[in-house]
Amino acid sequence: MKKKNTAALIVHTKGLEALHRYFAKYRENYMTKKMKDDTLRKLFCWSPPAVMSDFTITSRSEAAGSIDGFCIVATFLPEMLLNRHEEVISKIEAALIESEKRGAAVASLAAFTSIADGRQGEIVSRVAKSMAVTNGSTFTSAMAIEGIRKMCRILDIDIGAANMAIIGATGSIGRTCSRYFMGKTARLTLTGRKFEKLEKLFGGYPEQYSNLFLTDDNNGAVADADLVISVTSSIQSIFKSDAFKSGAVICDVGFPKNIAQACNDRDDIIVYSGGLARIPGDIEHLDVMGLPANNICYGCMSEGILLALTERLDLCTVGLDDIPLRNVDLLTDMGYEHGFDVAPYFNDYKYYCAEDFDRVKRAREALASSACV
Ligand SMILES: NC(=O)c1ccc[n+]([C@@H]2O[C@H](COP(=O)([O-])OP(=O)(O)OC[C@H]3O[C@@H](n4cnc5c(N)ncnc54)[C@H](OP(=O)(O)O)[C@@H]3O)[C@@H](O)[C@H]2O)c1
């Protein structure tokens, strides 16, 4: 069989804690004698890009076979985006150059590696000579949308009668999810940091969709939402657990997380890590990226694997243009065909199970009946 494309997944760490966890894998008792944070920060940021794991992924479709790939770490920390921006860009470019040298045909820019250049990977991808580069927003959006649809089936929520809020709607993934759900919910509230930007992007829609609301007030937007997709690039949590109404479902797509760490005191809502896929194979060390199993992967990373497997490098996307919704549908279908699926629902604390779903269903019923009294 012809050798398939190799996929490079350009990743970064959530922070120093994740790096400590990685070292602990290789040195017993490391956690009791950790490297000092300052020393680790310096060493890490001086380091060139490093391959974290090599992998082979086999499609469920026998005819499609397997691809090889590797995860390569761009050695910056998320907070460096605030004051060491140029350095972050060089780090991402170095990881792309190294990936091409190692024979990758396609590179997926994961999380902040696609955001950092302000052009969704268009600028950093210029260092690639013949390697295709994709920003992962299409498949991440696909998995966020599918995750919400599937959750609504589990909880018997009628999307058409639900209020939805999309937080960070001006971004690449947020905009795609917003366009997808327009006209499909009872009310759709979209937020961004700047109202003018929201108006520029969505101001033309309200006449057509009278249930569309734009605001820069994140808390106001979620207060009455049944369904929330939070997909901002904020480097810290932006919601407290009391922001959400009882029975709400919150899909937290952000990396680092927008919400999950703050909500473990609420068992009447579901806050899960969204935009993720279960992939048809394992990649070592995904736990250091906050993932609970080696076959659960961020949508952005999964996109590179899927496009390499299907040899559809023509579907790679960088830049700020709207992502065609037909590509979201296409990648969703291609994903299912090759053994990719929405990841199980989990957050930093647990996997959600049938008991949790029942409890949230009851919370929703209680709220509905109190509203009728
Ligand atoms: N789960 C996954 O598989 C996965 C995959 C890829 C990416 N991600 C993560 O998803 C997030 C978004 O990615 P993206 O590519 O869509 O980024 P993006 O295009 O840069 O969009 C991020 C958006 O968040 C908005 N934002 C930032 N802080 C905000 C706040 N406090 N309140 C409201 N909006 C705020 C920004 O608004 P402005 O317009 O004002 O800048 C921007 O529009 C990132 O955290 C990324 O790491 C997750």
Side-chain angles (χ1 to χ4, degrees):
M1 192 184 274
K2 179 176 137 225
K3 182 106 175 76
K4 288 251 177 184
N5 295 314
T6 295
L9 313 183
I10 317 290
V11 301
H12 67 89
T13 175
K14 265 207 287 193
L16 290 177
E17 208 38 56
L19 288 176
H20 285 306
R21 284 206 306 279
Y22 183 72
F23 291 133
K25 286 168 178 269
Y26 295 98
R27 211 172 80 199
E28 222 180 308
N29 302 328
Y30 173 84
M31 282 307 199
T32 55
K33 270 189 144 190
K34 281 196 221 175
M35 201 185 299
K36 283 195 181 120
D37 278 356
D38 263 356
T39 317
L40 178 57
R41 185 180 288 112
K42 275 189 195 137
L43 275 177
F44 181 66
C45 298
W46 278 335
S47 307
V51 170
M52 178 177 87
S53 41
D54 291 293
F55 58 82
T56 300
I57 303 286
T58 303
S59 165
R60 182 164 68 191
S61 147
E62 230 174 83
S66 307
I67 59 128
D68 292 331
F70 52 87
C71 277
I72 184 163
V73 184
T75 49
F76 68 89
L77 296 165
E79 70 253 26
M80 285 167 63
L81 274 169
L82 300 175
N83 50 14
R84 290 164 69 183
H85 192 251
E86 290 306 310
E87 208 180 324
V88 172
I89 300 289
S90 317
K91 297 260 177 204
I92 298 165
E93 289 173 343
L96 283 166
I97 292 166
E98 183 60 25
S99 299
E100 192 162 21
K101 268 195 214 152
R102 286 172 178 262
V106 54
S108 237
L109 295 168
F112 283 3
T113 69
S114 67
I115 299 175
D117 69 3
R119 303 263 333 154
Q120 279 292 323
E122 189 180 294
I123 295 174
V124 290
S125 65
R126 289 180 193 150
V127 297
K129 292 194 178 78
S130 60
M131 178 177 70
V133 179
T134 196
N135 59 27
S137 293
T138 312
F139 199 58
T140 304
S141 304
M143 291 296 98
I145 292 165
E146 282 294 283
I148 284 283
R149 281 160 42 108
K150 193 169 162 187
M151 178 63 84
C152 286
R153 289 196 292 273
I154 295 173
L155 297 182
D156 296 329
I157 299 175
D158 172 5
I159 296 189
N163 293 337
M164 176 182 275
I166 300 185
I167 312 302
T170 49
S172 174
I173 303 165
R175 217 159 68 232
T176 310
C177 294
S178 302
R179 286 167 42 243
Y180 178 86
F181 281 110
M182 245 173 231
K184 294 192 175 85
T185 60
R187 192 168 72 212
L188 182 63
T189 306
L190 308 180
T191 85
R193 277 182 295 199
K194 295 178 205 92
F195 188 75
E196 308 74 57
K197 190 167 171 186
L198 277 167
E199 275 215 305
K200 194 167 158 214
L201 289 170
F202 301 105
Y205 286 109
E207 261 178 47
Q208 196 182 346
Y209 298 111
S210 55
N211 61 354
L212 182 68
F213 297 90
L214 310 179
T215 175
D216 54 9
D217 173 8
N218 292 334
N219 278 290
V222 302
D224 192 35
D226 302 288
L227 306 169
V228 176
I229 299 179
S230 189
V231 62
T232 81
S233 52
S234 169
I235 58 171
Q236 56 219 2
S237 295
I238 54 172
F239 288 108
K240 293 203 175 119
S241 63
D242 59 3
F244 306 104
K245 80 171 185 185
S246 192
V249 170
I250 300 104
C251 165
D252 185 356
V253 182
F255 177 91
K257 292 285 109 204
N258 286 178
I259 307 154
Q261 291 187 340
C263 292
N264 61 333
D265 60 335
R266 291 278 309 266
D267 64 3
D268 61 329
I269 62 176
I270 288 178
V271 183
Y272 69 92
S273 295
L276 286 93
R278 180 169 22 216
I279 59 171
D282 283 348
I283 299 179
E284 247 192 315
H285 304 316
L286 289 184
D287 55 334
V288 291
M289 298 192 65
L291 295 165
N294 285 342
N295 66 344
I296 294 177
C297 198
Y298 292 103
C300 44
M301 296 161 74
S302 310
E303 181 169 310
I305 302 172
L306 180 60
L307 296 181
L309 259 180
T310 51
E311 303 194 285
R312 288 298 311 266
L313 305 192
D314 57 307
L315 293 173
C316 284
T317 308
V318 289
L320 296 178
D321 288 349
D322 278 351
I323 288 171
L325 293 180
R326 65 173 182 283
N327 287 5
V328 176
D329 288 339
L330 184 60
L331 263 68
T332 304
D333 292 346
M334 279 161 44
Y336 285 135
E337 186 190 335
H338 291 274
F340 296 68
D341 200 346
V342 172
Y345 298 100
F346 71 93
N347 62 29
D348 284 350
Y349 299 92
K350 63 178 189 172
Y351 277 101
Y352 283 102
C353 62
E355 206 178 297
D356 300 308
F357 298 139
D358 282 345
R359 194 172 42 248
V360 173
K361 259 191 204 175
R362 286 198 300 276
R364 294 185 58 75
E365 283 157 10
L367 196 69
S369 56
S370 70
C372 293
V373 179

